[in-house]
Amino acid sequence: MEEDEIKEVDIGQVEERIQQLRDIKSAKDAGKLYCIPFQSYPKLATSVPGIVPGMITMITAGSGVGKTQVAKAFAVREPLEYAVANNLDLKIFYFALEESKQEFIDSMICNYVSQKGGIRIDILALQGYREKSVDSKTMLVIETYIEEIEELLERVEVIDSVYNPTGIYKYCRDYADRNGEHVFEDREFIKNKMDKDPDSKTFGKKITVTETTQVYSHYIPKNPNQMTIVVVDHMSLLTPEKDKDTGYKMTQHQTMAHWSTNYALKQVTKHWNWSVVNIIQQEQSGEREQFTMKGDSIQKKTEPSLANFANNKEIQRDAKVVLGVYAPDRYGFEEYHGYDIRKMRDTFRAIKVLKNRFGPPNKYHHMLFDGATNRFVELPKANESHLMAPFYNTSDKLLGRNKKH
C-alpha cells in the first residue's frame, strides 16, 4: 500500500511538471519571451540560445583579448537591438570597474555608427588623443544617429563608481525594491538550546525548541515581462570589503565569491530571475604557457579554460554558461582550426563554450573581430574558401594592408 502511495506522488509530480510545460508552450506561442536570442549570431545560438533570465553567464579571456568587447556585443548591444525591435521592457546595469561611463558611451557610438553608417571611427581620435581630430564629415554622421543611440542607451545604466560586492548588490536591490515586491514567509526551525529559565525543571540543560523565523520566499516584479541584466566587468577588480562575521578584510578570492555566489547566484538570479553576466580574467601564467611552441596540443594549452580563472577558480560552479575568448595570433600561431591566421591576424577571435547547461561544452564559434568598433561577425567554415575570401579581404582592410595587384 505504501509503495502505491509513493508511485501516486511520483506520477503527480510528473503530471504537474507536464502541465507547467504546457503552460510554457502556450505562453511561448502567445509571444512570451523566455530569453533574449542571439539573432546576430545564429551559429553561437545553436550552442547557447541567448541571454537567459535567472542564470549567470561568465565570459573569460586573457588581458587585452576582448572579453569586455564580447560582453558588450552579447550582453548589451544584442539585447538592446532586440528590445528596440520588439518593444521589450529591458533594463541593463553595467558595472564598469575598469572603464568610465564616458568611455562606455564612446564605444557604443563607434559600434553603432560603424554598423548603421558603415563608417569606421577611431575611438582615440574621437576622444582627442590622436594628432588630428575626427573630421567634420564623420562628426556630422555621428550627429545624425544621436536620437537612435539615445533610444538604445536609455535602457542602460552605466555605474562606474561602485566597486564592492555589497555596493553592487545594494544598487540592484534598490531598483528591485522600487519595481517589485519581496515576499517573505514564516518557517519553523527546530533548534537545540540551553534552558536559561531558572523556574524551569530543565534549567541549565539542553532542550529542543521550535522557533518561527521569516525567510525570503520570492520576488514579484511589477512588470512580469521586464528583463533585467547585470554586467560586472571585470571581477578581479572588485574591491575587497570587511567580512561582517569576522571583521577582517576579505581576500580577492572571498570578494569574488561574495558577489558571484552569495549575491548573484543565491539572490539576484535565483529569487529575482534577473540575468547576471560576470567577466573573468584568465591567469597570467595560463596566458604565457608554452608561448613559443607550436602544435595542436600546445595550441590548446593557450586557450582559455575554467582551470585558469584568475583569483578564484571555484566561482565557475555558479555559472550555467561560460564563454572563453581566444586570439591565436597573440601566441604566434599561423593556423587555427583551418583558418589562415597569417591573413586574419588580430581580427580573428574564437568563442569557446567552456561550460553549457543547454548542450555539450567545448564547442567553438569563429568570428571576424573589429576591435576599433567592437563588432563581431560569424565566419563560414574554414574549408569554404569561396565564402571565406570576402572575410580575408575585410581583414586586410581592418589591418591597413595594401593589396598587391
Side-chain angles (χ1 to χ4, degrees):
M1 185 68 177
E2 291 181 358
E3 290 183 0
D4 291 339
E5 290 178 356
I6 291 174
K7 287 181 180 178
E8 289 176 5
V9 171
D10 288 343
I11 292 172
Q13 290 174 349
V14 174
E15 287 180 348
E16 181 182 2
R17 182 54 184 161
I18 292 298
Q19 183 54 53
Q20 291 171 348
L21 295 174
R22 291 193 193 102
D23 293 341
I24 290 173
K25 172 178 167 46
S26 298
K28 180 72 174 178
D29 292 343
K32 182 176 175 60
L33 187 67
Y34 285 93
C35 81
I36 299 178
F38 288 145
Q39 290 187 331
S40 300
Y41 311 99
K43 294 180 181 179
L44 177 63
T46 62
S47 295
V48 180
I51 300 298
V52 180
M55 74 174 224
I56 298 174
T57 298
M58 293 183 179
I59 298 171
T60 184
S63 56
V65 172
K67 53 189 177 295
T68 294
Q69 286 91 335
V70 169
K72 288 179 180 177
F74 294 177
V76 179
R77 191 72 168 83
E78 189 76 354
L80 287 175
E81 286 283 1
Y82 189 88
V84 170
N86 295 275
N87 196 28
L88 170 67
D89 187 357
L90 173 67
K91 179 70 174 182
I92 299 176
F93 292 100
Y94 194 98
F95 289 91
L97 307 186
E98 192 168 22
E99 65 182 341
S100 68
K101 180 178 179 179
Q102 289 74 24
E103 288 172 326
F104 177 93
I105 294 173
D106 291 348
S107 69
M108 297 300 288
I109 290 172
C110 290
N111 175 269
Y112 193 88
V113 174
S114 171
Q115 183 175 339
K116 300 294 184 180
I119 296 178
R120 190 168 182 260
I121 301 171
D122 183 341
I123 192 168
L124 294 179
L126 186 66
Q127 295 169 338
Y129 296 124
R130 298 294 190 193
E131 184 179 349
K132 293 183 179 180
S133 63
V134 172
D135 62 79
S136 300
K137 182 180 178 181
T138 299
M139 282 303 301
L140 285 174
V141 173
I142 292 173
E143 290 169 6
T144 62
Y145 290 107
I146 289 177
E147 290 185 8
E148 294 177 31
I149 300 173
E150 289 282 12
E151 184 182 7
L152 280 180
L153 294 186
E154 69 183 9
R155 294 169 168 84
V156 183
E157 195 165 341
V158 181
I159 306 99
D160 61 1
S161 58
V162 179
Y163 297 93
N164 65 309
T166 300
I168 292 174
Y169 171 73
K170 285 183 176 180
Y171 199 100
C172 296
R173 177 65 186 249
D174 178 66
Y175 181 83
D177 291 346
R178 289 183 282 108
N179 290 274
E181 177 188 359
H182 302 281
V183 180
F184 295 81
E185 63 181 15
D186 291 335
R187 191 171 296 174
E188 291 186 345
F189 294 91
I190 299 175
K191 297 183 178 180
N192 293 321
K193 285 189 171 184
M194 189 69 72
D195 191 349
K196 296 182 179 180
D197 183 0
D199 298 326
S200 172
K201 293 180 181 180
T202 56
F203 175 66
K205 297 180 180 179
K206 283 188 177 181
I207 59 174
T208 300
V209 297
T210 301
E211 293 185 351
T212 301
T213 305
Q214 274 205 332
V215 297
Y216 198 100
S217 174
H218 59 282
Y219 176 71
I220 304 175
K222 290 180 180 178
N223 179 6
N225 294 318
Q226 184 187 59
M227 295 191 71
T228 306
I229 302 170
V230 179
V231 181
V232 177
D233 181 24
H234 62 84
M235 289 187 61
S236 290
L237 296 176
L238 286 169
T239 301
E241 56 190 65
K242 281 188 178 181
D243 187 311
K244 67 177 182 180
D245 295 323
T246 66
Y248 292 106
K249 191 175 183 179
M250 294 180 182
T251 64
Q252 195 63 42
H253 183 281
Q254 293 169 327
T255 300
M256 293 171 69
H258 194 39
W259 163 250
S260 181
T261 306
N262 296 337
Y263 289 138
L265 178 66
K266 296 181 178 179
Q267 187 66 29
V268 178
T269 57
K270 181 179 180 180
H271 288 138
W272 305 350
N273 202 39
W274 291 9
S275 300
V276 172
V277 179
N278 287 332
I279 316 305
I280 315 292
Q281 181 86 11
Q282 287 277 294
E283 282 186 342
Q284 294 295 324
S285 60
E287 293 178 41
R288 292 194 303 267
E289 188 174 16
Q290 306 292 348
F291 179 82
T292 60
M293 299 181 72
K294 300 291 187 289
D296 290 341
S297 61
I298 302 305
Q299 193 175 72
K300 207 167 189 66
K301 287 182 179 180
T302 63
E303 294 177 358
S305 68
L306 300 177
N308 276 331
F309 270 30
N311 302 113
N312 189 326
K313 302 180 190 342
E314 291 79 15
I315 57 172
Q316 58 93 2
R317 300 168 187 163
D318 299 335
K320 296 294 193 298
V321 169
V322 181
L323 302 177
V325 189
Y326 182 61
D329 182 58
R330 299 294 177 94
Y331 303 93
F333 297 118
E334 297 181 351
E335 185 272 342
Y336 183 77
H337 294 177
Y339 293 94
D340 191 341
I341 303 304
R342 293 170 302 179
K343 292 181 178 179
M344 300 195 73
R345 293 301 181 190
D346 202 41
T347 67
F348 178 93
R349 290 294 184 274
I351 308 296
K352 183 179 180 181
V353 183
L354 298 172
K355 182 178 179 182
N356 189 11
R357 69 160 294 185
F358 301 105
N362 299 317
K363 296 286 187 181
Y364 293 85
H365 300 278
H366 308 98
M367 307 270 183
L368 174 70
F369 170 59
D370 180 3
T373 61
N374 193 36
R375 293 184 65 189
F376 293 84
V377 180
E378 291 183 324
L379 293 172
K381 292 180 180 179
N383 59 6
E384 296 176 325
S385 57
H386 62 294
L387 296 177
M388 275 302 303
F391 291 94
Y392 286 135
N393 290 337
T394 300
S395 290
D396 284 336
K397 293 178 182 177
L398 294 177
L399 294 167
R401 290 172 175 159
N402 294 320
K403 284 192 172 184
K404 294 181 180 180
H405 297 282

